[in-house]
Amino acid sequence: MLKPISTSTREQILLDGLWLFALDTPDRPEPWGSVLDTRREAPVPASYNDVFADQEIHDHVGWVWYQRTVRVPRGWSGERVILRVDAATHEGVVYVGDRRVAHHIGGYTPFEADITDLAEAGAEIRITIGVNNELTNETIPPGTITTDEFGRRKQTYRHDFYNYAGLARSVRLYSVPTVHVTDVTVATDVEGATGVVDYRVEASAAAQVVVRLRDAAGVEVARAEGDAGRIEVTDAELWRPGRGYLYTLEVDLVAGGALQDRYEVPVGIRSVRVEGARFLINGEPFFFRGFGKHEDSAIRGRGFDNAIMVHDFALMEWMGANSFRTSHYPYAEEFLEYADRHGIVVIDETAAVGLNLGLGGGFHGRVTEKSFSPTMFNDNTQAAHAQGIRELIARDKNHPSVVMWSITNEPESVEDGAREYFEPLVALARELDPTRPLTYANEYRGQFHNDRLADLFDVICLNRYYGWYMETGDLVMAEHRLETELRGWQTTFGKPIIITEYGADTLAGLHAVTTQAWSEEFQTSLLQTYHRVFDRIDAVIGEQVWNFADFQTSQGVIRVDGNKKGVFTRDRRPKAAAHELRARWTAAAAAEAGSETASTS
């Protein structure tokens, strides 16, 4: 799905701001037939849970309603008018006036509706958006809803981050010509000094397709015609980690000798391959240094905020990080656009977290039934998961920063049914995008000798907590167990290994002379322990600490105001571990830069 942009043939307006807001109640009449009867206003984009000082809103399970009136620009007469919701967590329905125009399930990918017949140029329209935060065994991510003896509905889930809900990303109104571009797919490669750009264009009606590739200065470097083809760029400037050079693919639709529509796609020319135990970008080995993150901040919850995004990237740059994983859902497109421009490498993940009955809230529980069964994660769950993969790849396929798809985090991978569930999803992802490697994040019960999924994927990603959840505080045993396991993976599979999660909960300001879990010194020592092991294992090609910053979770006896594994606090103040990582990663970056300079001199 193409993101709305403004060009010579297209316009858009952001509907960010304050919307009328109300909880759905059994006695509330359908709100889309008239003005929503409420005095409450909610900010968009933002999660609604923490905005109001109201326990009922914070804990609400079910539908909420947003509403506002907007005037369609007068200049849009004769154009198609599209209403787009960047995300509604986890289910959304949209009404214009009293007509339902869109419905979507899945909380982190966009959906839209053509509302031309309801949106007269120059006139006002009333937009009502319902958002439902319910999770069941057949949603992605999954959850369970119960009703207590007082009639209160409660949501439980198996992922260790708070179930923030609402309109956490922008809502947009945009115009396109009657004949317009509906999709563009770009795939790049590098052959010697030549950059290769394969493209495919889809349109709403038959038209001549003309594409031009322009460099960063706007100079045309190549041109082609036809709805699919290949462009070659001699001595191409490549997109590289740390330097996000972007060309622009300018796509024109022409009919009757006149321009009908223009769409522009930023293009980073680069290649991505896995060879043996190496991950190659532009033919050069790449080592992932960075984090698992969250879209999470005080008050906003999962709401997108440009200031927080830019600050997070600045902190990663300060530390020498070069990558992150979109744990555990697709992030706002703005994150990927920023990563594209600045050369940050991204592992892009679906919202399939919690497909594992042996896990609960980040620690291990008891398996009481099969994860993959008709009554738990079943064919309907798999269908929702498949749709999530389709929508993730459709949205993010053109971003050069995205070098790998992760189709799930910590699923059950050792029991009967796991392979039958995941094998068709792996095949689907490869069919949708044969150019990028695939991975999934493995939890510790799936070991090299019993995991039933690892051979399906290109890169082995491991989430490991020796010294924290296992052998708590014993870093000698943690080092031994970690090295033993990593050598087992290396010998058994011979594939690249990324440690996509490792770390320890740490209370900022807690200090200790001796070993003490939760202290800043212990977090630093644990990271040092892991790094010694990583440096001894050739197949380890990445380390992504869990987590970049502290984040909110559901309430629990092991979670005091959220998960504290961040190397930054929730308000982005560094713990001692941040300085430890900065020393390690900036030294590694400097060594890589020196090696690259020597090889080109």
Side-chain angles (χ1 to χ4, degrees), residues 460-473:
I460 294 170
C461 288
L462 305 175
N463 298 349
R464 292 298 182 265
Y465 290 100
Y466 297 112
W468 186 247
Y469 291 125
M470 296 83 73
E471 291 84 34
T472 305

PDB file of all heavy atoms in Angstrom, residues 460-473:
ATOM      1  N   ILE A 460      19.529 -17.190  12.191  1.00  0.00           N
ATOM      2  CA  ILE A 460      19.063 -17.641  13.503  1.00  0.00           C
ATOM      3  C   ILE A 460      19.116 -16.465  14.473  1.00  0.00           C
ATOM      4  O   ILE A 460      20.196 -15.910  14.725  1.00  0.00           O
ATOM      5  CB  ILE A 460      19.917 -18.807  14.012  1.00  0.00           C
ATOM      6  CG1 ILE A 460      19.715 -20.034  13.114  1.00  0.00           C
ATOM      7  CG2 ILE A 460      19.582 -19.142  15.466  1.00  0.00           C
ATOM      8  CD1 ILE A 460      20.684 -21.154  13.382  1.00  0.00           C
ATOM      9  N   CYS A 461      17.965 -16.074  14.987  1.00  0.00           N
ATOM     10  CA  CYS A 461      17.891 -14.997  15.969  1.00  0.00           C
ATOM     11  C   CYS A 461      17.476 -15.588  17.311  1.00  0.00           C
ATOM     12  O   CYS A 461      16.459 -16.286  17.399  1.00  0.00           O
ATOM     13  CB  CYS A 461      16.899 -13.919  15.539  1.00  0.00           C
ATOM     14  SG  CYS A 461      17.486 -12.909  14.160  1.00  0.00           S
ATOM     15  N   LEU A 462      18.261 -15.319  18.335  1.00  0.00           N
ATOM     16  CA  LEU A 462      18.064 -15.922  19.646  1.00  0.00           C
ATOM     17  C   LEU A 462      17.825 -14.850  20.701  1.00  0.00           C
ATOM     18  O   LEU A 462      18.584 -13.872  20.787  1.00  0.00           O
ATOM     19  CB  LEU A 462      19.293 -16.746  20.043  1.00  0.00           C
ATOM     20  CG  LEU A 462      19.749 -17.839  19.069  1.00  0.00           C
ATOM     21  CD1 LEU A 462      21.044 -18.477  19.560  1.00  0.00           C
ATOM     22  CD2 LEU A 462      18.666 -18.899  18.879  1.00  0.00           C
ATOM     23  N   ASN A 463      16.792 -15.047  21.522  1.00  0.00           N
ATOM     24  CA  ASN A 463      16.552 -14.219  22.702  1.00  0.00           C
ATOM     25  C   ASN A 463      17.015 -15.024  23.916  1.00  0.00           C
ATOM     26  O   ASN A 463      16.438 -16.070  24.209  1.00  0.00           O
ATOM     27  CB  ASN A 463      15.070 -13.875  22.837  1.00  0.00           C
ATOM     28  CG  ASN A 463      14.548 -13.057  21.653  1.00  0.00           C
ATOM     29  OD1 ASN A 463      15.314 -12.571  20.834  1.00  0.00           O
ATOM     30  ND2 ASN A 463      13.244 -12.893  21.593  1.00  0.00           N
ATOM     31  N   ARG A 464      18.040 -14.564  24.624  1.00  0.00           N
ATOM     32  CA  ARG A 464      18.629 -15.360  25.686  1.00  0.00           C
ATOM     33  C   ARG A 464      18.840 -14.543  26.957  1.00  0.00           C
ATOM     34  O   ARG A 464      19.301 -13.399  26.900  1.00  0.00           O
ATOM     35  CB  ARG A 464      19.966 -15.960  25.229  1.00  0.00           C
ATOM     36  CG  ARG A 464      19.812 -17.024  24.143  1.00  0.00           C
ATOM     37  CD  ARG A 464      18.992 -18.211  24.640  1.00  0.00           C
ATOM     38  NE  ARG A 464      18.848 -19.279  23.670  1.00  0.00           N
ATOM     39  CZ  ARG A 464      17.811 -19.410  22.838  1.00  0.00           C
ATOM     40  NH1 ARG A 464      16.840 -18.512  22.840  1.00  0.00           N
ATOM     41  NH2 ARG A 464      17.734 -20.438  22.010  1.00  0.00           N
ATOM     42  N   TYR A 465      18.543 -15.180  28.094  1.00  0.00           N
ATOM     43  CA  TYR A 465      18.592 -14.489  29.381  1.00  0.00           C
ATOM     44  C   TYR A 465      19.303 -15.315  30.453  1.00  0.00           C
ATOM     45  O   TYR A 465      18.887 -15.334  31.603  1.00  0.00           O
ATOM     46  CB  TYR A 465      17.171 -14.127  29.823  1.00  0.00           C
ATOM     47  CG  TYR A 465      16.574 -13.034  28.963  1.00  0.00           C
ATOM     48  CD1 TYR A 465      15.683 -13.345  27.933  1.00  0.00           C
ATOM     49  CD2 TYR A 465      16.917 -11.706  29.151  1.00  0.00           C
ATOM     50  CE1 TYR A 465      15.153 -12.358  27.129  1.00  0.00           C
ATOM     51  CE2 TYR A 465      16.390 -10.713  28.359  1.00  0.00           C
ATOM     52  CZ  TYR A 465      15.506 -11.038  27.348  1.00  0.00           C
ATOM     53  OH  TYR A 465      14.981 -10.045  26.538  1.00  0.00           O
ATOM     54  N   TYR A 466      20.386 -15.999  30.068  1.00  0.00           N
ATOM     55  CA  TYR A 466      21.228 -16.650  31.074  1.00  0.00           C
ATOM     56  C   TYR A 466      21.763 -15.569  32.021  1.00  0.00           C
ATOM     57  O   TYR A 466      22.211 -14.510  31.584  1.00  0.00           O
ATOM     58  CB  TYR A 466      22.389 -17.379  30.409  1.00  0.00           C
ATOM     59  CG  TYR A 466      21.974 -18.509  29.497  1.00  0.00           C
ATOM     60  CD1 TYR A 466      22.160 -18.419  28.115  1.00  0.00           C
ATOM     61  CD2 TYR A 466      21.396 -19.657  30.008  1.00  0.00           C
ATOM     62  CE1 TYR A 466      21.784 -19.454  27.272  1.00  0.00           C
ATOM     63  CE2 TYR A 466      21.021 -20.706  29.179  1.00  0.00           C
ATOM     64  CZ  TYR A 466      21.207 -20.592  27.805  1.00  0.00           C
ATOM     65  OH  TYR A 466      20.829 -21.622  26.973  1.00  0.00           O
ATOM     66  N   GLY A 467      21.719 -15.838  33.301  1.00  0.00           N
ATOM     67  CA  GLY A 467      22.150 -14.856  34.290  1.00  0.00           C
ATOM     68  C   GLY A 467      21.020 -13.976  34.780  1.00  0.00           C
ATOM     69  O   GLY A 467      21.178 -13.257  35.777  1.00  0.00           O
ATOM     70  N   TRP A 468      19.872 -14.046  34.086  1.00  0.00           N
ATOM     71  CA  TRP A 468      18.719 -13.259  34.539  1.00  0.00           C
ATOM     72  C   TRP A 468      17.535 -14.176  34.862  1.00  0.00           C
ATOM     73  O   TRP A 468      17.268 -14.460  36.019  1.00  0.00           O
ATOM     74  CB  TRP A 468      18.326 -12.194  33.515  1.00  0.00           C
ATOM     75  CG  TRP A 468      17.238 -11.310  34.059  1.00  0.00           C
ATOM     76  CD1 TRP A 468      15.953 -11.203  33.642  1.00  0.00           C
ATOM     77  CD2 TRP A 468      17.344 -10.435  35.190  1.00  0.00           C
ATOM     78  NE1 TRP A 468      15.246 -10.324  34.424  1.00  0.00           N
ATOM     79  CE2 TRP A 468      16.084  -9.836  35.395  1.00  0.00           C
ATOM     80  CE3 TRP A 468      18.391 -10.114  36.071  1.00  0.00           C
ATOM     81  CZ2 TRP A 468      15.831  -8.943  36.429  1.00  0.00           C
ATOM     82  CZ3 TRP A 468      18.144  -9.211  37.100  1.00  0.00           C
ATOM     83  CH2 TRP A 468      16.876  -8.639  37.263  1.00  0.00           C
ATOM     84  N   TYR A 469      16.844 -14.680  33.848  1.00  0.00           N
ATOM     85  CA  TYR A 469      15.730 -15.589  34.116  1.00  0.00           C
ATOM     86  C   TYR A 469      16.223 -16.982  34.516  1.00  0.00           C
ATOM     87  O   TYR A 469      15.525 -17.707  35.215  1.00  0.00           O
ATOM     88  CB  TYR A 469      14.808 -15.694  32.894  1.00  0.00           C
ATOM     89  CG  TYR A 469      14.028 -14.440  32.614  1.00  0.00           C
ATOM     90  CD1 TYR A 469      14.104 -13.833  31.365  1.00  0.00           C
ATOM     91  CD2 TYR A 469      13.211 -13.862  33.575  1.00  0.00           C
ATOM     92  CE1 TYR A 469      13.388 -12.678  31.093  1.00  0.00           C
ATOM     93  CE2 TYR A 469      12.498 -12.713  33.311  1.00  0.00           C
ATOM     94  CZ  TYR A 469      12.591 -12.119  32.065  1.00  0.00           C
ATOM     95  OH  TYR A 469      11.883 -10.978  31.801  1.00  0.00           O
ATOM     96  N   MET A 470      17.386 -17.359  34.018  1.00  0.00           N
ATOM     97  CA  MET A 470      18.008 -18.628  34.387  1.00  0.00           C
ATOM     98  C   MET A 470      19.364 -18.327  35.024  1.00  0.00           C
ATOM     99  O   MET A 470      20.066 -17.436  34.568  1.00  0.00           O
ATOM    100  CB  MET A 470      18.214 -19.523  33.156  1.00  0.00           C
ATOM    101  CG  MET A 470      16.917 -19.959  32.480  1.00  0.00           C
ATOM    102  SD  MET A 470      16.293 -18.709  31.340  1.00  0.00           S
ATOM    103  CE  MET A 470      17.449 -18.882  30.000  1.00  0.00           C
ATOM    104  N   GLU A 471      19.743 -19.076  36.059  1.00  0.00           N
ATOM    105  CA  GLU A 471      20.985 -18.829  36.784  1.00  0.00           C
ATOM    106  C   GLU A 471      21.083 -17.363  37.216  1.00  0.00           C
ATOM    107  O   GLU A 471      22.118 -16.691  37.023  1.00  0.00           O
ATOM    108  CB  GLU A 471      22.230 -19.212  35.950  1.00  0.00           C
ATOM    109  CG  GLU A 471      22.399 -20.677  35.712  1.00  0.00           C
ATOM    110  CD  GLU A 471      21.588 -21.175  34.519  1.00  0.00           C
ATOM    111  OE1 GLU A 471      21.428 -20.417  33.552  1.00  0.00           O
ATOM    112  OE2 GLU A 471      21.103 -22.316  34.578  1.00  0.00           O
ATOM    113  N   THR A 472      20.014 -16.849  37.774  1.00  0.00           N
ATOM    114  CA  THR A 472      19.956 -15.433  38.126  1.00  0.00           C
ATOM    115  C   THR A 472      21.150 -15.031  38.992  1.00  0.00           C
ATOM    116  O   THR A 472      21.405 -15.613  40.050  1.00  0.00           O
ATOM    117  CB  THR A 472      18.657 -15.128  38.892  1.00  0.00           C
ATOM    118  OG1 THR A 472      17.549 -15.562  38.106  1.00  0.00           O
ATOM    119  CG2 THR A 472      18.530 -13.633  39.170  1.00  0.00           C
ATOM    120  N   GLY A 473      21.880 -14.052  38.511  1.00  0.00           N
ATOM    121  CA  GLY A 473      23.010 -13.514  39.258  1.00  0.00           C
ATOM    122  C   GLY A 473      24.302 -14.292  39.117  1.00  0.00           C
ATOM    123  O   GLY A 473      25.362 -13.796  39.531  1.00  0.00           O
TER     124      GLY A 473
END
